Amino acid sequence: MGNKDVKVVSFWISPFARRVEWALRLKGVDYEYIEEDIYNKSPLLLELNPVTKKVPVLIHDHKPIIESFIILEYIDETWNQYPLLPQHPHQRALARFWANFAEQKLLDHAWIAMCSSGDVQEKALNIARDAMEKIEEEIKGLKKFFGGEDIGYLDIALGWISYWLPVLEEVGSMQIIDPLKHSATIAWMNNFLSHPVIKESLPPRDEMLAYFHSRRKALSSTFQNFFKD
Amino acid sequence: MGNKDVKVVSFWISPFARRVEWALRLKGVDYEYIEEDIYNKSPLLLELNPVTKKVPVLIHDHKPIIESFIILEYIDETWNQYPLLPQHPHQRALARFWANFAEQKLLDHAWIAMCSSGDVQEKALNIARDAMEKIEEEIKGLKKFFGGEDIGYLDIALGWISYWLPVLEEVGSMQIIDPLKHSATIAWMNNFLSHPVIKESLPPRDEMLAYFHSRRKALSSTFQNFFKD
């Protein structure tokens, strides 16, 4: 499995970059980790990803692949062991749909809510809570993971909910996950965080809190007009 | 190929829905077309797609599939003839990346620019033109299509540029495609629109103009604060 032809350009707290590492680890693909300073981007990153200049970048066979969901598809197509996406096209379509949905409705709006206050926060929270409600419905009735007994594509895609979202909630002094309403989500979060591959690949919570507090402060003016029309 | 088990819930002017039809036609999969009134959504649409309530919906084997790019993947995985995505994982990743990029940077900002004026229009136009520039670089050196001699996934994904974008430009009295700078794009547009499957599956241009003029009027206040921070 040793394969130093595989590199991941990452940023320690990025939930997007972490997905790439989880997928490689689940498949047993060895990789080199390269930490990027996203506030002072390296010539390497700008060369690898001149279009969006973002992490994560997966480098394989000296070629860069960007965007975490696209990288997950690439990993699943390149290394056949431990398939991530379901086999049936309809199940694959559902996994892709819910991955995008959680990103656009839950993650983006939890982020806006964390960085804002008043009306803007309330509107963003409503969208995030509504998304959480719908995701809870999808999680209900799962065996253990979306991938069945094992972690699959959609578990990886939504994995941030188990660890990043509670930090965003704490920093924003807000509640999105409601233990009384989202018991299936909470059970799934516990399963996810107990998995040996995941629990050894998480950033330190105290450093996350400090980092997101500083982002909240820096970005609070940016989102004040977000929903104005 | 006759397969009335396949239905497409569409809206006549939607470039997203049109992609689904192009893909099915290229593969020779027969389908039933169902026109949806997106301003007065039918019980059928709300039942098929309760989460986003949007078209297109592909119905296959009585199951709904939503989101045009996800539907394209589903179609390619379900009907093997005339493959849409490239075979190599790295080429597949690039096709997926540019499809998303064009959607978020070019389509979304061309739409905002069409519906706005002044500073907001100028900012949106800058983003759209920058995206057009990058897409031109990708089109340069193509044989005929992204799919080589034949239309592929990325041609379908970007197909709206050839026919919808010039209408948006006209309605917004703005220029995004510059014939002097984007000659490769213009050659590709002509190839795309000359393809027998595409040219017989386009909405009438005069009706598109009237429709987008009415949308511009209806939405012009919505985007006035879009870039405010």
PDB file of all heavy atoms in Angstrom, chain A residues 51 63-64 66 70 73-74 77-78 89-90 92-93 96-97 101 225 229, chain B residues 51 63-64 66 70 73-74 77-78 89-90 92-93 96-97 101 225:
ATOM      1  N   VAL A  51      -6.825  27.826 -10.444  1.00  0.00           N
ATOM      2  CA  VAL A  51      -8.192  28.310 -10.708  1.00  0.00           C
ATOM      3  C   VAL A  51      -8.905  28.713  -9.415  1.00  0.00           C
ATOM      4  O   VAL A  51      -9.383  29.827  -9.292  1.00  0.00           O
ATOM      5  CB  VAL A  51      -9.010  27.277 -11.509  1.00  0.00           C
ATOM      6  CG1 VAL A  51     -10.438  27.768 -11.710  1.00  0.00           C
ATOM      7  CG2 VAL A  51      -8.359  27.017 -12.867  1.00  0.00           C
ATOM      8  N   LYS A  63      -0.333  14.441 -10.829  1.00  0.00           N
ATOM      9  CA  LYS A  63      -1.448  15.280 -11.336  1.00  0.00           C
ATOM     10  C   LYS A  63      -2.312  15.737 -10.172  1.00  0.00           C
ATOM     11  O   LYS A  63      -2.642  14.958  -9.280  1.00  0.00           O
ATOM     12  CB  LYS A  63      -2.322  14.470 -12.291  1.00  0.00           C
ATOM     13  CG  LYS A  63      -1.651  14.128 -13.615  1.00  0.00           C
ATOM     14  CD  LYS A  63      -2.731  13.697 -14.615  1.00  0.00           C
ATOM     15  CE  LYS A  63      -2.154  12.951 -15.787  1.00  0.00           C
ATOM     16  NZ  LYS A  63      -1.981  11.504 -15.517  1.00  0.00           N
ATOM     17  N   PRO A  64      -2.716  17.025 -10.176  1.00  0.00           N
ATOM     18  CA  PRO A  64      -3.576  17.518  -9.100  1.00  0.00           C
ATOM     19  C   PRO A  64      -5.049  17.227  -9.371  1.00  0.00           C
ATOM     20  O   PRO A  64      -5.502  17.304 -10.526  1.00  0.00           O
ATOM     21  CB  PRO A  64      -3.327  19.028  -9.127  1.00  0.00           C
ATOM     22  CG  PRO A  64      -2.964  19.321 -10.556  1.00  0.00           C
ATOM     23  CD  PRO A  64      -2.323  18.086 -11.123  1.00  0.00           C
ATOM     24  N   ILE A  66      -8.824  18.451  -7.625  1.00  0.00           N
ATOM     25  CA  ILE A  66      -9.335  19.405  -6.632  1.00  0.00           C
ATOM     26  C   ILE A  66     -10.827  19.223  -6.379  1.00  0.00           C
ATOM     27  O   ILE A  66     -11.512  18.539  -7.140  1.00  0.00           O
ATOM     28  CB  ILE A  66      -9.030  20.862  -7.037  1.00  0.00           C
ATOM     29  CG1 ILE A  66      -9.573  21.180  -8.440  1.00  0.00           C
ATOM     30  CG2 ILE A  66      -7.529  21.131  -6.998  1.00  0.00           C
ATOM     31  CD1 ILE A  66      -9.385  22.624  -8.846  1.00  0.00           C
ATOM     32  N   ILE A  70     -15.216  15.713  -5.632  1.00  0.00           N
ATOM     33  CA  ILE A  70     -14.647  15.191  -6.882  1.00  0.00           C
ATOM     34  C   ILE A  70     -13.445  14.294  -6.568  1.00  0.00           C
ATOM     35  O   ILE A  70     -13.248  13.254  -7.197  1.00  0.00           O
ATOM     36  CB  ILE A  70     -14.287  16.367  -7.831  1.00  0.00           C
ATOM     37  CG1 ILE A  70     -15.570  17.071  -8.281  1.00  0.00           C
ATOM     38  CG2 ILE A  70     -13.475  15.870  -9.031  1.00  0.00           C
ATOM     39  CD1 ILE A  70     -15.354  18.329  -9.110  1.00  0.00           C
ATOM     40  N   GLU A  73     -14.682  10.865  -5.547  1.00  0.00           N
ATOM     41  CA  GLU A  73     -15.039  10.052  -6.718  1.00  0.00           C
ATOM     42  C   GLU A  73     -13.763   9.495  -7.371  1.00  0.00           C
ATOM     43  O   GLU A  73     -13.703   8.327  -7.766  1.00  0.00           O
ATOM     44  CB  GLU A  73     -15.809  10.892  -7.756  1.00  0.00           C
ATOM     45  CG  GLU A  73     -17.107  11.501  -7.260  1.00  0.00           C
ATOM     46  CD  GLU A  73     -18.360  10.741  -7.682  1.00  0.00           C
ATOM     47  OE1 GLU A  73     -18.259   9.727  -8.400  1.00  0.00           O
ATOM     48  OE2 GLU A  73     -19.462  11.171  -7.274  1.00  0.00           O
ATOM     49  N   TYR A  74     -12.757  10.363  -7.477  1.00  0.00           N
ATOM     50  CA  TYR A  74     -11.479   9.950  -8.078  1.00  0.00           C
ATOM     51  C   TYR A  74     -10.854   8.809  -7.283  1.00  0.00           C
ATOM     52  O   TYR A  74     -10.393   7.812  -7.849  1.00  0.00           O
ATOM     53  CB  TYR A  74     -10.521  11.146  -8.149  1.00  0.00           C
ATOM     54  CG  TYR A  74      -9.162  10.786  -8.702  1.00  0.00           C
ATOM     55  CD1 TYR A  74      -8.902  10.850 -10.065  1.00  0.00           C
ATOM     56  CD2 TYR A  74      -8.132  10.350  -7.857  1.00  0.00           C
ATOM     57  CE1 TYR A  74      -7.662  10.498 -10.579  1.00  0.00           C
ATOM     58  CE2 TYR A  74      -6.891   9.994  -8.363  1.00  0.00           C
ATOM     59  CZ  TYR A  74      -6.658  10.083  -9.727  1.00  0.00           C
ATOM     60  OH  TYR A  74      -5.433   9.721 -10.240  1.00  0.00           O
ATOM     61  N   GLU A  77     -12.683   5.610  -7.847  1.00  0.00           N
ATOM     62  CA  GLU A  77     -12.469   5.049  -9.193  1.00  0.00           C
ATOM     63  C   GLU A  77     -11.049   4.510  -9.368  1.00  0.00           C
ATOM     64  O   GLU A  77     -10.802   3.655 -10.213  1.00  0.00           O
ATOM     65  CB  GLU A  77     -12.735   6.134 -10.256  1.00  0.00           C
ATOM     66  CG  GLU A  77     -14.207   6.508 -10.362  1.00  0.00           C
ATOM     67  CD  GLU A  77     -14.447   7.760 -11.201  1.00  0.00           C
ATOM     68  OE1 GLU A  77     -13.462   8.367 -11.679  1.00  0.00           O
ATOM     69  OE2 GLU A  77     -15.623   8.139 -11.354  1.00  0.00           O
ATOM     70  N   THR A  78     -10.116   5.046  -8.568  1.00  0.00           N
ATOM     71  CA  THR A  78      -8.703   4.698  -8.759  1.00  0.00           C
ATOM     72  C   THR A  78      -8.287   3.500  -7.908  1.00  0.00           C
ATOM     73  O   THR A  78      -7.496   2.675  -8.343  1.00  0.00           O
ATOM     74  CB  THR A  78      -7.828   5.931  -8.427  1.00  0.00           C
ATOM     75  OG1 THR A  78      -8.217   6.990  -9.310  1.00  0.00           O
ATOM     76  CG2 THR A  78      -6.349   5.639  -8.616  1.00  0.00           C
ATOM     77  N   PRO A  89     -26.818   2.533  -9.266  1.00  0.00           N
ATOM     78  CA  PRO A  89     -26.879   3.941  -9.708  1.00  0.00           C
ATOM     79  C   PRO A  89     -27.860   4.806  -8.914  1.00  0.00           C
ATOM     80  O   PRO A  89     -27.566   5.973  -8.646  1.00  0.00           O
ATOM     81  CB  PRO A  89     -27.304   3.840 -11.178  1.00  0.00           C
ATOM     82  CG  PRO A  89     -26.801   2.508 -11.630  1.00  0.00           C
ATOM     83  CD  PRO A  89     -26.910   1.607 -10.423  1.00  0.00           C
ATOM     84  N   HIS A  90     -29.002   4.246  -8.532  1.00  0.00           N
ATOM     85  CA  HIS A  90     -29.958   5.082  -7.805  1.00  0.00           C
ATOM     86  C   HIS A  90     -29.451   5.433  -6.413  1.00  0.00           C
ATOM     87  O   HIS A  90     -29.588   6.576  -5.947  1.00  0.00           O
ATOM     88  CB  HIS A  90     -31.334   4.399  -7.732  1.00  0.00           C
ATOM     89  CG  HIS A  90     -32.392   5.295  -7.165  1.00  0.00           C
ATOM     90  ND1 HIS A  90     -32.897   5.162  -5.904  1.00  0.00           N
ATOM     91  CD2 HIS A  90     -33.007   6.386  -7.694  1.00  0.00           C
ATOM     92  CE1 HIS A  90     -33.790   6.111  -5.676  1.00  0.00           C
ATOM     93  NE2 HIS A  90     -33.878   6.865  -6.751  1.00  0.00           N
ATOM     94  N   ARG A  92     -26.315   5.598  -5.629  1.00  0.00           N
ATOM     95  CA  ARG A  92     -25.200   6.535  -5.863  1.00  0.00           C
ATOM     96  C   ARG A  92     -25.733   7.959  -6.026  1.00  0.00           C
ATOM     97  O   ARG A  92     -25.180   8.918  -5.489  1.00  0.00           O
ATOM     98  CB  ARG A  92     -24.408   6.133  -7.108  1.00  0.00           C
ATOM     99  CG  ARG A  92     -23.712   4.790  -6.968  1.00  0.00           C
ATOM    100  CD  ARG A  92     -23.284   4.230  -8.317  1.00  0.00           C
ATOM    101  NE  ARG A  92     -22.139   4.901  -8.910  1.00  0.00           N
ATOM    102  CZ  ARG A  92     -20.876   4.584  -8.660  1.00  0.00           C
ATOM    103  NH1 ARG A  92     -20.607   3.608  -7.819  1.00  0.00           N
ATOM    104  NH2 ARG A  92     -19.890   5.223  -9.245  1.00  0.00           N
ATOM    105  N   ALA A  93     -26.832   8.071  -6.795  1.00  0.00           N
ATOM    106  CA  ALA A  93     -27.437   9.397  -7.023  1.00  0.00           C
ATOM    107  C   ALA A  93     -27.909   9.992  -5.699  1.00  0.00           C
ATOM    108  O   ALA A  93     -27.714  11.188  -5.431  1.00  0.00           O
ATOM    109  CB  ALA A  93     -28.591   9.287  -8.022  1.00  0.00           C
ATOM    110  N   ARG A  96     -24.889  11.204  -3.666  1.00  0.00           N
ATOM    111  CA  ARG A  96     -24.375  12.478  -4.202  1.00  0.00           C
ATOM    112  C   ARG A  96     -25.312  13.633  -3.872  1.00  0.00           C
ATOM    113  O   ARG A  96     -24.875  14.739  -3.557  1.00  0.00           O
ATOM    114  CB  ARG A  96     -24.198  12.370  -5.720  1.00  0.00           C
ATOM    115  CG  ARG A  96     -23.051  11.456  -6.130  1.00  0.00           C
ATOM    116  CD  ARG A  96     -23.054  11.228  -7.636  1.00  0.00           C
ATOM    117  NE  ARG A  96     -21.916  10.412  -8.048  1.00  0.00           N
ATOM    118  CZ  ARG A  96     -22.004   9.384  -8.903  1.00  0.00           C
ATOM    119  NH1 ARG A  96     -23.176   9.052  -9.451  1.00  0.00           N
ATOM    120  NH2 ARG A  96     -20.928   8.710  -9.218  1.00  0.00           N
ATOM    121  N   PHE A  97     -26.612  13.392  -3.973  1.00  0.00           N
ATOM    122  CA  PHE A  97     -27.564  14.459  -3.695  1.00  0.00           C
ATOM    123  C   PHE A  97     -27.444  14.945  -2.247  1.00  0.00           C
ATOM    124  O   PHE A  97     -27.335  16.142  -1.980  1.00  0.00           O
ATOM    125  CB  PHE A  97     -29.012  14.022  -3.966  1.00  0.00           C
ATOM    126  CG  PHE A  97     -29.984  15.035  -3.461  1.00  0.00           C
ATOM    127  CD1 PHE A  97     -30.165  16.218  -4.158  1.00  0.00           C
ATOM    128  CD2 PHE A  97     -30.649  14.870  -2.256  1.00  0.00           C
ATOM    129  CE1 PHE A  97     -31.013  17.212  -3.667  1.00  0.00           C
ATOM    130  CE2 PHE A  97     -31.492  15.851  -1.752  1.00  0.00           C
ATOM    131  CZ  PHE A  97     -31.679  17.020  -2.470  1.00  0.00           C
ATOM    132  N   PHE A 101     -26.520  18.563  -0.747  1.00  0.00           N
ATOM    133  CA  PHE A 101     -27.562  19.231   0.023  1.00  0.00           C
ATOM    134  C   PHE A 101     -27.023  19.691   1.392  1.00  0.00           C
ATOM    135  O   PHE A 101     -27.204  20.846   1.792  1.00  0.00           O
ATOM    136  CB  PHE A 101     -28.750  18.274   0.208  1.00  0.00           C
ATOM    137  CG  PHE A 101     -29.842  18.824   1.088  1.00  0.00           C
ATOM    138  CD1 PHE A 101     -30.803  19.675   0.554  1.00  0.00           C
ATOM    139  CD2 PHE A 101     -29.906  18.510   2.437  1.00  0.00           C
ATOM    140  CE1 PHE A 101     -31.813  20.197   1.363  1.00  0.00           C
ATOM    141  CE2 PHE A 101     -30.906  19.035   3.248  1.00  0.00           C
ATOM    142  CZ  PHE A 101     -31.863  19.871   2.707  1.00  0.00           C
ATOM    143  N   ASN A 225     -25.263  41.680   5.896  1.00  0.00           N
ATOM    144  CA  ASN A 225     -26.321  41.949   4.915  1.00  0.00           C
ATOM    145  C   ASN A 225     -26.680  40.733   4.086  1.00  0.00           C
ATOM    146  O   ASN A 225     -27.311  40.851   3.041  1.00  0.00           O
ATOM    147  CB  ASN A 225     -25.883  43.082   3.974  1.00  0.00           C
ATOM    148  CG  ASN A 225     -25.888  44.414   4.679  1.00  0.00           C
ATOM    149  OD1 ASN A 225     -26.923  44.851   5.151  1.00  0.00           O
ATOM    150  ND2 ASN A 225     -24.726  45.039   4.775  1.00  0.00           N
ATOM    151  N   ASP A 229     -32.503  41.997   0.785  1.00  0.00           N
ATOM    152  CA  ASP A 229     -32.815  42.063  -0.652  1.00  0.00           C
ATOM    153  C   ASP A 229     -33.420  43.420  -0.983  1.00  0.00           C
ATOM    154  O   ASP A 229     -33.354  44.317  -0.164  1.00  0.00           O
ATOM    155  CB  ASP A 229     -33.727  40.918  -1.071  1.00  0.00           C
ATOM    156  CG  ASP A 229     -35.045  40.906  -0.323  1.00  0.00           C
ATOM    157  OD1 ASP A 229     -35.480  41.988   0.139  1.00  0.00           O
ATOM    158  OD2 ASP A 229     -35.619  39.841  -0.175  1.00  0.00           O
TER     159      ASP A 229
ATOM    160  N   VAL B  51     -37.854  17.722  -1.406  1.00  0.00           N
ATOM    161  CA  VAL B  51     -36.756  18.431  -0.736  1.00  0.00           C
ATOM    162  C   VAL B  51     -36.427  19.755  -1.425  1.00  0.00           C
ATOM    163  O   VAL B  51     -36.420  20.802  -0.790  1.00  0.00           O
ATOM    164  CB  VAL B  51     -35.503  17.541  -0.597  1.00  0.00           C
ATOM    165  CG1 VAL B  51     -34.364  18.303   0.059  1.00  0.00           C
ATOM    166  CG2 VAL B  51     -35.811  16.301   0.231  1.00  0.00           C
ATOM    167  N   LYS B  63     -38.599   5.522  -9.917  1.00  0.00           N
ATOM    168  CA  LYS B  63     -37.843   6.227  -8.874  1.00  0.00           C
ATOM    169  C   LYS B  63     -37.387   7.590  -9.399  1.00  0.00           C
ATOM    170  O   LYS B  63     -36.895   7.687 -10.526  1.00  0.00           O
ATOM    171  CB  LYS B  63     -36.599   5.425  -8.474  1.00  0.00           C
ATOM    172  CG  LYS B  63     -36.897   4.143  -7.716  1.00  0.00           C
ATOM    173  CD  LYS B  63     -35.614   3.659  -7.012  1.00  0.00           C
ATOM    174  CE  LYS B  63     -35.710   2.208  -6.630  1.00  0.00           C
ATOM    175  NZ  LYS B  63     -35.358   1.288  -7.737  1.00  0.00           N
ATOM    176  N   PRO B  64     -37.495   8.651  -8.581  1.00  0.00           N
ATOM    177  CA  PRO B  64     -37.043   9.972  -9.029  1.00  0.00           C
ATOM    178  C   PRO B  64     -35.544  10.160  -8.790  1.00  0.00           C
ATOM    179  O   PRO B  64     -35.003   9.713  -7.772  1.00  0.00           O
ATOM    180  CB  PRO B  64     -37.837  10.929  -8.137  1.00  0.00           C
ATOM    181  CG  PRO B  64     -38.110  10.151  -6.881  1.00  0.00           C
ATOM    182  CD  PRO B  64     -38.147   8.683  -7.254  1.00  0.00           C
ATOM    183  N   ILE B  66     -32.805  13.526  -8.947  1.00  0.00           N
ATOM    184  CA  ILE B  66     -32.832  14.981  -9.092  1.00  0.00           C
ATOM    185  C   ILE B  66     -31.427  15.579  -9.197  1.00  0.00           C
ATOM    186  O   ILE B  66     -30.455  14.906  -8.901  1.00  0.00           O
ATOM    187  CB  ILE B  66     -33.623  15.660  -7.950  1.00  0.00           C
ATOM    188  CG1 ILE B  66     -33.073  15.249  -6.578  1.00  0.00           C
ATOM    189  CG2 ILE B  66     -35.100  15.310  -8.045  1.00  0.00           C
ATOM    190  CD1 ILE B  66     -33.754  15.960  -5.424  1.00  0.00           C
ATOM    191  N   ILE B  70     -26.177  15.219 -11.286  1.00  0.00           N
ATOM    192  CA  ILE B  70     -26.329  13.890 -10.684  1.00  0.00           C
ATOM    193  C   ILE B  70     -27.125  12.986 -11.624  1.00  0.00           C
ATOM    194  O   ILE B  70     -26.827  11.795 -11.773  1.00  0.00           O
ATOM    195  CB  ILE B  70     -26.985  14.017  -9.283  1.00  0.00           C
ATOM    196  CG1 ILE B  70     -26.028  14.750  -8.331  1.00  0.00           C
ATOM    197  CG2 ILE B  70     -27.382  12.645  -8.732  1.00  0.00           C
ATOM    198  CD1 ILE B  70     -26.585  15.050  -6.956  1.00  0.00           C
ATOM    199  N   GLU B  73     -24.813  11.642 -14.319  1.00  0.00           N
ATOM    200  CA  GLU B  73     -24.017  10.503 -13.827  1.00  0.00           C
ATOM    201  C   GLU B  73     -24.890   9.239 -13.817  1.00  0.00           C
ATOM    202  O   GLU B  73     -24.441   8.151 -14.204  1.00  0.00           O
ATOM    203  CB  GLU B  73     -23.499  10.779 -12.399  1.00  0.00           C
ATOM    204  CG  GLU B  73     -22.620  12.006 -12.259  1.00  0.00           C
ATOM    205  CD  GLU B  73     -21.125  11.684 -12.211  1.00  0.00           C
ATOM    206  OE1 GLU B  73     -20.741  10.507 -12.253  1.00  0.00           O
ATOM    207  OE2 GLU B  73     -20.328  12.654 -12.137  1.00  0.00           O
ATOM    208  N   TYR B  74     -26.127   9.405 -13.340  1.00  0.00           N
ATOM    209  CA  TYR B  74     -27.044   8.262 -13.276  1.00  0.00           C
ATOM    210  C   TYR B  74     -27.285   7.688 -14.672  1.00  0.00           C
ATOM    211  O   TYR B  74     -27.242   6.475 -14.884  1.00  0.00           O
ATOM    212  CB  TYR B  74     -28.374   8.692 -12.645  1.00  0.00           C
ATOM    213  CG  TYR B  74     -29.400   7.578 -12.599  1.00  0.00           C
ATOM    214  CD1 TYR B  74     -29.474   6.719 -11.511  1.00  0.00           C
ATOM    215  CD2 TYR B  74     -30.292   7.384 -13.657  1.00  0.00           C
ATOM    216  CE1 TYR B  74     -30.406   5.684 -11.471  1.00  0.00           C
ATOM    217  CE2 TYR B  74     -31.224   6.349 -13.627  1.00  0.00           C
ATOM    218  CZ  TYR B  74     -31.270   5.510 -12.533  1.00  0.00           C
ATOM    219  OH  TYR B  74     -32.192   4.483 -12.508  1.00  0.00           O
ATOM    220  N   GLU B  77     -24.312   5.785 -15.878  1.00  0.00           N
ATOM    221  CA  GLU B  77     -24.104   4.511 -15.180  1.00  0.00           C
ATOM    222  C   GLU B  77     -25.179   3.479 -15.548  1.00  0.00           C
ATOM    223  O   GLU B  77     -24.953   2.274 -15.428  1.00  0.00           O
ATOM    224  CB  GLU B  77     -24.144   4.735 -13.657  1.00  0.00           C
ATOM    225  CG  GLU B  77     -22.933   5.509 -13.142  1.00  0.00           C
ATOM    226  CD  GLU B  77     -23.089   5.995 -11.702  1.00  0.00           C
ATOM    227  OE1 GLU B  77     -24.156   5.778 -11.094  1.00  0.00           O
ATOM    228  OE2 GLU B  77     -22.135   6.614 -11.192  1.00  0.00           O
ATOM    229  N   THR B  78     -26.340   3.969 -15.993  1.00  0.00           N
ATOM    230  CA  THR B  78     -27.478   3.073 -16.234  1.00  0.00           C
ATOM    231  C   THR B  78     -27.509   2.567 -17.677  1.00  0.00           C
ATOM    232  O   THR B  78     -27.860   1.415 -17.938  1.00  0.00           O
ATOM    233  CB  THR B  78     -28.798   3.804 -15.885  1.00  0.00           C
ATOM    234  OG1 THR B  78     -28.731   4.197 -14.514  1.00  0.00           O
ATOM    235  CG2 THR B  78     -30.007   2.909 -16.097  1.00  0.00           C
ATOM    236  N   PRO B  89     -10.041   8.203 -14.694  1.00  0.00           N
ATOM    237  CA  PRO B  89     -10.460   8.956 -13.494  1.00  0.00           C
ATOM    238  C   PRO B  89     -10.005  10.419 -13.472  1.00  0.00           C
ATOM    239  O   PRO B  89     -10.757  11.288 -13.033  1.00  0.00           O
ATOM    240  CB  PRO B  89      -9.822   8.171 -12.337  1.00  0.00           C
ATOM    241  CG  PRO B  89      -9.713   6.775 -12.836  1.00  0.00           C
ATOM    242  CD  PRO B  89      -9.445   6.890 -14.319  1.00  0.00           C
ATOM    243  N   HIS B  90      -8.792  10.691 -13.957  1.00  0.00           N
ATOM    244  CA  HIS B  90      -8.331  12.079 -13.917  1.00  0.00           C
ATOM    245  C   HIS B  90      -9.124  12.947 -14.890  1.00  0.00           C
ATOM    246  O   HIS B  90      -9.497  14.084 -14.568  1.00  0.00           O
ATOM    247  CB  HIS B  90      -6.826  12.174 -14.211  1.00  0.00           C
ATOM    248  CG  HIS B  90      -6.290  13.550 -13.972  1.00  0.00           C
ATOM    249  ND1 HIS B  90      -5.931  14.401 -15.000  1.00  0.00           N
ATOM    250  CD2 HIS B  90      -6.088  14.254 -12.826  1.00  0.00           C
ATOM    251  CE1 HIS B  90      -5.522  15.548 -14.484  1.00  0.00           C
ATOM    252  NE2 HIS B  90      -5.600  15.476 -13.180  1.00  0.00           N
ATOM    253  N   ARG B  92     -12.163  12.327 -15.825  1.00  0.00           N
ATOM    254  CA  ARG B  92     -13.504  12.420 -15.234  1.00  0.00           C
ATOM    255  C   ARG B  92     -13.536  13.524 -14.174  1.00  0.00           C
ATOM    256  O   ARG B  92     -14.486  14.309 -14.115  1.00  0.00           O
ATOM    257  CB  ARG B  92     -13.904  11.085 -14.588  1.00  0.00           C
ATOM    258  CG  ARG B  92     -14.042   9.957 -15.585  1.00  0.00           C
ATOM    259  CD  ARG B  92     -14.039   8.591 -14.915  1.00  0.00           C
ATOM    260  NE  ARG B  92     -15.252   8.276 -14.187  1.00  0.00           N
ATOM    261  CZ  ARG B  92     -16.327   7.717 -14.732  1.00  0.00           C
ATOM    262  NH1 ARG B  92     -16.344   7.427 -16.016  1.00  0.00           N
ATOM    263  NH2 ARG B  92     -17.380   7.439 -13.998  1.00  0.00           N
ATOM    264  N   ALA B  93     -12.480  13.583 -13.368  1.00  0.00           N
ATOM    265  CA  ALA B  93     -12.411  14.612 -12.321  1.00  0.00           C
ATOM    266  C   ALA B  93     -12.386  16.008 -12.954  1.00  0.00           C
ATOM    267  O   ALA B  93     -13.063  16.929 -12.475  1.00  0.00           O
ATOM    268  CB  ALA B  93     -11.179  14.390 -11.440  1.00  0.00           C
ATOM    269  N   ARG B  96     -15.862  16.925 -14.245  1.00  0.00           N
ATOM    270  CA  ARG B  96     -16.755  17.310 -13.134  1.00  0.00           C
ATOM    271  C   ARG B  96     -16.385  18.680 -12.572  1.00  0.00           C
ATOM    272  O   ARG B  96     -17.247  19.480 -12.238  1.00  0.00           O
ATOM    273  CB  ARG B  96     -16.670  16.255 -12.019  1.00  0.00           C
ATOM    274  CG  ARG B  96     -17.315  14.933 -12.382  1.00  0.00           C
ATOM    275  CD  ARG B  96     -17.021  13.864 -11.326  1.00  0.00           C
ATOM    276  NE  ARG B  96     -17.690  12.615 -11.628  1.00  0.00           N
ATOM    277  CZ  ARG B  96     -17.119  11.408 -11.543  1.00  0.00           C
ATOM    278  NH1 ARG B  96     -15.857  11.298 -11.148  1.00  0.00           N
ATOM    279  NH2 ARG B  96     -17.803  10.320 -11.842  1.00  0.00           N
ATOM    280  N   PHE B  97     -15.087  18.934 -12.473  1.00  0.00           N
ATOM    281  CA  PHE B  97     -14.664  20.223 -11.936  1.00  0.00           C
ATOM    282  C   PHE B  97     -15.155  21.373 -12.814  1.00  0.00           C
ATOM    283  O   PHE B  97     -15.748  22.347 -12.324  1.00  0.00           O
ATOM    284  CB  PHE B  97     -13.140  20.313 -11.797  1.00  0.00           C
ATOM    285  CG  PHE B  97     -12.719  21.709 -11.451  1.00  0.00           C
ATOM    286  CD1 PHE B  97     -12.888  22.185 -10.163  1.00  0.00           C
ATOM    287  CD2 PHE B  97     -12.229  22.566 -12.424  1.00  0.00           C
ATOM    288  CE1 PHE B  97     -12.566  23.497  -9.842  1.00  0.00           C
ATOM    289  CE2 PHE B  97     -11.909  23.886 -12.114  1.00  0.00           C
ATOM    290  CZ  PHE B  97     -12.076  24.346 -10.815  1.00  0.00           C
ATOM    291  N   PHE B 101     -17.596  24.464 -11.968  1.00  0.00           N
ATOM    292  CA  PHE B 101     -17.000  25.801 -12.052  1.00  0.00           C
ATOM    293  C   PHE B 101     -17.855  26.726 -12.926  1.00  0.00           C
ATOM    294  O   PHE B 101     -18.172  27.854 -12.547  1.00  0.00           O
ATOM    295  CB  PHE B 101     -15.577  25.692 -12.617  1.00  0.00           C
ATOM    296  CG  PHE B 101     -14.910  27.023 -12.826  1.00  0.00           C
ATOM    297  CD1 PHE B 101     -14.267  27.667 -11.774  1.00  0.00           C
ATOM    298  CD2 PHE B 101     -14.920  27.638 -14.072  1.00  0.00           C
ATOM    299  CE1 PHE B 101     -13.650  28.901 -11.963  1.00  0.00           C
ATOM    300  CE2 PHE B 101     -14.313  28.875 -14.273  1.00  0.00           C
ATOM    301  CZ  PHE B 101     -13.670  29.505 -13.212  1.00  0.00           C
ATOM    302  N   ASN B 225     -28.500  44.267  -3.640  1.00  0.00           N
ATOM    303  CA  ASN B 225     -27.512  44.283  -2.538  1.00  0.00           C
ATOM    304  C   ASN B 225     -26.593  43.072  -2.558  1.00  0.00           C
ATOM    305  O   ASN B 225     -25.926  42.780  -1.579  1.00  0.00           O
ATOM    306  CB  ASN B 225     -28.235  44.342  -1.198  1.00  0.00           C
ATOM    307  CG  ASN B 225     -28.823  45.711  -0.965  1.00  0.00           C
ATOM    308  OD1 ASN B 225     -28.101  46.697  -0.959  1.00  0.00           O
ATOM    309  ND2 ASN B 225     -30.130  45.763  -0.836  1.00  0.00           N
TER     310      ASN B 225
END
